[in-house]
């Protein structure tokens, strides 16, 4: 088998490919990300950035305490984030646990939200500690319930132990299960990968195995989507495009709570991967609290005075 | 060989803002000058911007639940602790007030002592408010009916330039469980920031009192229109400018008050809301 003509899927070829990647200049990546974070985005650009960010939000609820009612409320918010203003775009997707997929899909369809896809976190999210059979079953379950996007976690233990082949095979198998029916996002949990070098290796590993998106974190581990980590991943998708002519998406998740954070991410995308990536098809932000802050900033811009959380819905 | 003792170089204080229990510079980087009666330079306090106000409101909102849910006894203890700290630094406040305002050293001294007494007076109200303002109401039905006073939430204060009025306004707002953003005009910045140092060492939770120095003309309209501020004490605002602030505050039905001088429990109740609870008898 050949993957983009770069590796043949064997452990040996993977190690060979990943080892020839250059290491990440840690100081350089951090200072570049910090420098880009100082960009000031104002007025019309800010309005555009806020609306673009809203359309990129994967509105997420991944709690043990989730109820069908909460998921339905979140779906309504996803379609019309600001009920008082129809010009606010719908969010990128709804992201829920497997058993909530059907509830979300049905509710979205019934309220005119057919255009909002449902993403499911599968493969024994968030730890990924289950047998391969269970992970495959989990994914099939989500797809048959109507999930159009699968967020899978990699086996971090295997990755850190250097068992790249194992991680690669898992992604390939889940990719096969998704087939044409669902997009595949691969979650690295960068907080557990420790180094930027590992983030870069994991990015290539996932892209070679057929990921449509690479995603930083589950949101359950801190640190999560820090700007330098996202920068390293954006560089990876950019370089992968040069190698293969295929654009892979990036999804930072976890820790992005304010409009300022979100706009920093958009600047990173524009300056690293390029403006082609500034679309919900190629960039998503996994978040829950962020949407309210985006809406409040938007209100501030249109009303001319500071908004209050009392006037946006509590998730 | 005998060496002459060199003249010592003063260590000047950098005046900053007090937001969320920390002392940041103004986001804008601006400062203004405070001078003595004779025109001599005293300090460069920070000139707060609307974004500092925004940050202070966020901090005050975050601190609101904890402060209002603290027991009245605990709030009283912390406020009394602040009075202890004030007492220990009374001389510093006296000299700062005498230096920066038009009053004499003797008057400054009595004002500081009065301010401390005023603070203690308000602190004492924390566990007595409910007894005075709450009520069991007579109703024509088989119900118990209670009215309980609750703090409003985040209160902004546009302080007048006198130190005792500044102390009075803050104490009245926070004793019931409100959190505050205090806008301090002109030369009051010097004793106000020393007061912030008192707050920082008194076990007061971060964000309960936030102090911004600068121009009321610049900050008050932003505070008046801010949707996340529930009450606004505009005692320090020029009478002619109050109308516009009240108009801006109407959007979220902000309570806007200006008070006369002197201590009064009505100042506490002005930023409290009455909650009425019905409870059926025999259940």
């Amino acid at each position: 088998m050949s993957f983009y003509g770069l590796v043949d899927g064997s452990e040996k070829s993977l190690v060979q490919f990943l080892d020839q990647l250059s290491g990440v200049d840690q100081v350089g990546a951090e200072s570049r990300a910090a420098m880009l974070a100082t960009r000031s985005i104002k007025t019309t650009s800010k309005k555009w950035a806020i609306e673009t960010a809203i359309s990129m939000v994967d509105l997420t609820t991944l709690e043990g305490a989730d109820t069908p009612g909460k998921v339905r409320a979140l779906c309504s918010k996803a379609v019309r984030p600001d009920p008082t203003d129809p010009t606010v775009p719908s969010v990128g997707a709804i992201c829920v646990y497997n058993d909530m997929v059907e509830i979300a899909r049905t509710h979205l369809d019934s309220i005119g939200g057919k255009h909002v896809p449902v993403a499911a976190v599968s493969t024994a999210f968030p730890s990924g500690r289950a047998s391969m059979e269970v992970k495959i079953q989990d994914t099939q379950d989500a797809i048959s319930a109507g999930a159009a996007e699968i967020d899978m976690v990699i086996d971090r233990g295997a990755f850190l132990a250097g068992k790249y082949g194992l991680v690669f095979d898992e992604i390939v198998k889940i990719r096969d299960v998704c087939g044409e029916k669902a997009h595949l996002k691969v979650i690295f949990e960068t907080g557990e990968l420790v180094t930027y070098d590992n983030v870069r290796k994991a990015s290539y590993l996932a892209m070679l195995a057929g990921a449509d998106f690479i995603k930083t974190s589950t949101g359950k581990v801190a640190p999560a989507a820090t700007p330098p980590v996202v920068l390293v991943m954006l560089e990876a998708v950019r370089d992968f495009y040069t190698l293969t002519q295929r654009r892979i998406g990036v999804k930072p998740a976890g820790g992005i709570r304010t409009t300022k954070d979100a706009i920093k991410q958009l600047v990173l995308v524009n300056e690293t991967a390029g403006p082609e990536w500034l679309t919900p098809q190629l960039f998503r932000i996994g978040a829950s609290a962020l949407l309210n802050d985006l809406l409040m900033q938007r209100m501030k811009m249109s009303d001319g005075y500071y908004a209050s959380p009392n006037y946006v819905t509590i998730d | 060989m005998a060496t002459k003792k060199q003249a010592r170089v003063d260590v000047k204080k950098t005046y900053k803002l007090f937001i969320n229990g920390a002392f940041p510079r103004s986001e804008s980087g601006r400062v203004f000058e405070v001078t003595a009666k004779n025109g001599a330079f005293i300090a460069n306090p920070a000139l707060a911007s609307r974004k500092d106000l925004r940050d202070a409101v966020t901090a005050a909102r975050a601190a609101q639940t904890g402060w209002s849910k603290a027991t009245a006894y605990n709030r009283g203890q912390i406020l009394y602790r602040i009075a202890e700290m004030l007492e220990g630094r009374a001389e510093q406040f006296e000299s700062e007030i005498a230096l920066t305002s038009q009053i004499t050293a003797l008057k400054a001294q009595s004002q500081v002592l009065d301010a401390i007494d005023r603070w203690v007076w308000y602190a004492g109200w924390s566990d007595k408010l409910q007894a005075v303002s709450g009520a069991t109401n007579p109703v024509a039905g088989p119900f118990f009916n209670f009215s309980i006073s609750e703090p409003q939430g985040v209160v902004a204060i546009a302080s007048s330039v006198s130190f005792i009025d500044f102390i009075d306004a803050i104490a009245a707002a926070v004793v019931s469980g409100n959190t505050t953003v205090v806008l301090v005009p002109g030369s009051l910045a010097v004793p106000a920031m020393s007061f912030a140092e008192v707050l920082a060492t008194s076990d007061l939770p971060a964000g309960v009192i936030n102090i911004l120095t600068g121009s009321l003309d610049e900050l008050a309209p932003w505070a008046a229109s801010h949707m996340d501020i529930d009450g606004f004490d505009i005692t320090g605002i020029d009478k002619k400018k109050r109308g516009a602030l009240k108009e801006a505050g109407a959007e979220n039905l902000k309570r806007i008050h200006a008070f006369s001088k002197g201590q009064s429990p009505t100042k506490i109740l002005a930023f409290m809301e009455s909650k009425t609870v019905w409870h059926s008898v025999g259940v």
Side-chain angles (χ1 to χ4, degrees):
Chain A
M1 262 176 72
S2 169
F3 298 88
Y4 298 102
L6 296 169
V7 292
D8 61 13
S10 69
E11 182 90 39
K12 192 176 158 224
S13 73
L14 284 167
V15 170
Q16 208 168 32
F17 183 88
L18 296 178
D19 278 356
Q20 55 84 37
L21 294 171
S22 61
V24 178
D25 169 5
Q26 184 183 341
V27 175
E30 283 169 3
S31 70
R32 170 98 180 129
M35 190 270 278
L36 289 174
T38 62
R39 291 275 174 88
S40 187
I41 309 291
K42 299 289 181 200
T43 62
T44 46
S45 314
K46 186 175 179 186
K47 184 157 191 289
W48 181 87
I50 288 173
E51 282 174 9
T52 307
I54 291 175
S55 72
M56 288 171 170
V57 168
D58 272 9
L59 195 57
T60 305
T61 182
L62 298 171
E63 303 294 334
D66 284 349
T67 57
K70 185 182 176 190
V71 169
R72 280 194 283 264
L74 208 66
C75 289
S76 305
K77 187 171 184 173
V79 179
R80 282 278 296 273
D82 183 349
T84 64
D85 186 350
T87 61
V88 179
S90 299
V91 303
I94 279 279
C95 184
V96 290
Y97 271 118
N98 273 357
D99 59 335
M100 294 292 172
V101 171
E102 197 171 346
I103 294 160
R105 188 67 267 161
T106 317
H107 187 68
L108 282 169
D109 291 347
S110 71
I111 58 168
K114 283 199 195 310
H115 57 290
V116 179
V118 177
V121 288
S122 301
T123 69
F125 181 95
S127 64
R129 299 254 70 87
S131 69
M132 200 56 221
E133 289 73 37
V134 172
K135 289 180 183 178
I136 289 172
Q137 187 75 53
D138 202 20
T139 311
Q140 277 165 345
D141 191 34
I143 294 173
S144 56
E149 303 180 1
I150 295 294
D151 289 26
M152 72 169 287
V153 288
I154 63 165
D155 182 345
R156 282 87 75 186
F159 181 88
L160 290 170
K163 296 175 187 160
Y164 299 137
L166 190 69
V167 180
F168 189 84
D169 288 345
E170 281 197 4
I171 303 173
V172 170
K173 280 185 186 142
I174 300 294
R175 168 75 273 174
D176 287 346
V177 176
C178 292
E180 295 296 307
K181 281 175 283 187
H183 259 58
L184 180 65
K185 304 195 196 111
V186 179
I187 307 173
F188 302 147
E189 198 65 291
T190 51
E192 293 180 349
L193 295 189
V194 189
T195 66
Y196 297 131
D197 284 0
N198 278 344
V199 174
R200 178 171 283 178
K201 282 182 182 164
S203 302
Y204 278 95
L205 193 67
M207 291 188 291
L208 288 169
D212 298 303
F213 255 88
I214 51 178
K215 174 174 168 184
T216 59
S217 338
T218 59
K220 307 284 182 199
V221 172
T226 62
V229 160
V230 180
L231 178 82
V232 169
M233 288 167 62
L234 285 164
E235 284 173 350
V237 295
R238 176 197 63 197
D239 296 344
F240 193 74
Y241 174 72
T242 336
L243 274 176
T244 64
Q245 296 302 304
R246 175 157 186 245
R247 290 200 172 96
I248 308 292
V250 177
K251 175 177 171 185
I256 304 170
R257 293 196 183 86
T258 64
T259 303
K260 212 172 239 181
D261 293 341
I263 292 179
K264 280 178 197 168
Q265 299 281 348
L266 296 187
V267 172
L268 275 178
V269 175
N270 191 59
E271 299 299 316
T272 312
E276 298 83 4
W277 264 265
L278 280 175
T279 141
Q281 279 75 51
L282 288 171
F283 194 73
R284 294 280 183 79
I285 302 171
S288 37
L290 170 67
L291 183 58
N292 277 351
D293 197 64
L294 287 166
L295 293 173
M296 281 164 61
Q297 285 292 324
R298 199 174 175 282
M299 287 179 196
K300 156 75 177 64
M301 294 197 77
S302 56
D303 298 340
Y305 47 76
Y306 287 113
S308 156
N310 291 339
Y311 300 86
V312 289
T313 54
I314 304 166
D315 298 323
Chain B
M1 196 176 76
T3 48
K4 242 200 277 179
K5 198 180 175 202
Q6 285 197 327
R8 189 173 168 279
V9 179
D10 287 353
V11 180
K12 295 277 190 201
K13 180 152 98 185
T14 307
Y15 285 81
K16 303 186 196 172
L17 306 172
F18 186 57
I19 299 173
N20 204 20
F23 291 89
R25 288 181 168 80
S26 168
E27 156 278 336
S28 63
R30 302 174 305 173
V31 295
F32 65 102
E33 199 168 284
V34 169
T35 53
K37 274 169 262 190
N38 61 6
F41 171 81
I42 294 175
N44 271 331
L47 183 58
S49 69
R50 67 178 169 90
K51 294 194 176 178
D52 296 316
L53 174 79
R54 173 199 63 188
D55 294 347
V57 173
T58 308
R61 177 57 67 193
Q64 219 285 314
T65 317
W67 183 241
S68 62
K69 293 279 176 289
T71 60
Y73 171 70
N74 185 226
R75 273 203 305 277
Q77 253 188 338
I78 290 171
L79 295 182
Y80 190 78
R81 175 79 176 157
I82 293 171
E84 290 174 9
M85 298 290 118
L86 272 171
E87 184 93 4
R89 294 172 71 155
E91 280 175 23
Q92 182 194 354
F93 285 102
E94 286 160 23
S95 69
E96 283 174 350
I97 293 166
L99 197 64
T100 54
S101 66
Q102 300 298 321
I103 62 180
T104 63
L106 206 63
K107 279 192 177 155
Q109 191 180 11
S110 75
Q111 190 181 102
V112 169
L113 297 180
D114 285 349
I116 299 171
D117 293 348
R118 184 76 63 90
W119 187 274
V120 172
W121 187 83
Y122 278 110
W125 272 106
S126 67
D127 55 0
K128 300 167 189 73
L129 273 169
Q130 288 305 344
V132 175
S133 72
T136 8
N137 310 315
V139 286
F143 300 101
F144 292 122
N145 184 281
F146 310 99
S147 288
I148 301 157
S149 292
E150 292 190 337
Q152 266 219 293
V154 175
V155 173
I157 296 168
S159 173
S160 58
V161 81
S162 121
F163 182 68
I164 191 164
D165 293 346
F166 164 76
I167 289 291
D168 183 278
I170 297 176
V174 298
V175 65
S176 64
N178 289 309
T179 53
T180 55
V181 176
V182 191
L183 315 178
V184 172
S187 63
L188 180 62
V190 174
M193 288 324 290
S194 297
F195 182 64
E197 290 160 13
V198 164
L199 298 177
T201 51
S202 303
D203 297 333
L204 183 79
V208 172
I209 301 174
N210 303 278
I211 301 180
L212 306 177
T213 56
S215 151
L216 294 189
D217 281 346
E218 180 185 350
L219 296 175
W222 286 104
S225 64
H226 198 307
M227 298 293 276
D228 211 21
I229 292 177
D230 305 302
F232 194 12
D233 173 350
I234 53 167
T235 309
I237 303 284
D238 204 60
K239 283 206 174 64
K240 276 176 278 176
K241 293 174 181 162
R242 288 177 183 171
L245 296 181
K246 286 179 180 169
E247 215 169 290
E251 186 68 29
N252 72 337
L253 308 178
K254 209 177 261 98
R255 283 197 195 175
I256 302 191
H257 297 292
F259 300 106
S260 51
K261 286 187 183 300
Q263 63 195 32
S264 165
T266 56
K267 289 188 180 179
I268 306 175
L269 296 172
F271 292 117
M272 296 186 80
E273 291 174 342
S274 195
K275 181 168 90 178
T276 297
V277 184
W278 295 71
H279 193 291
S280 38
V281 174
V283 178

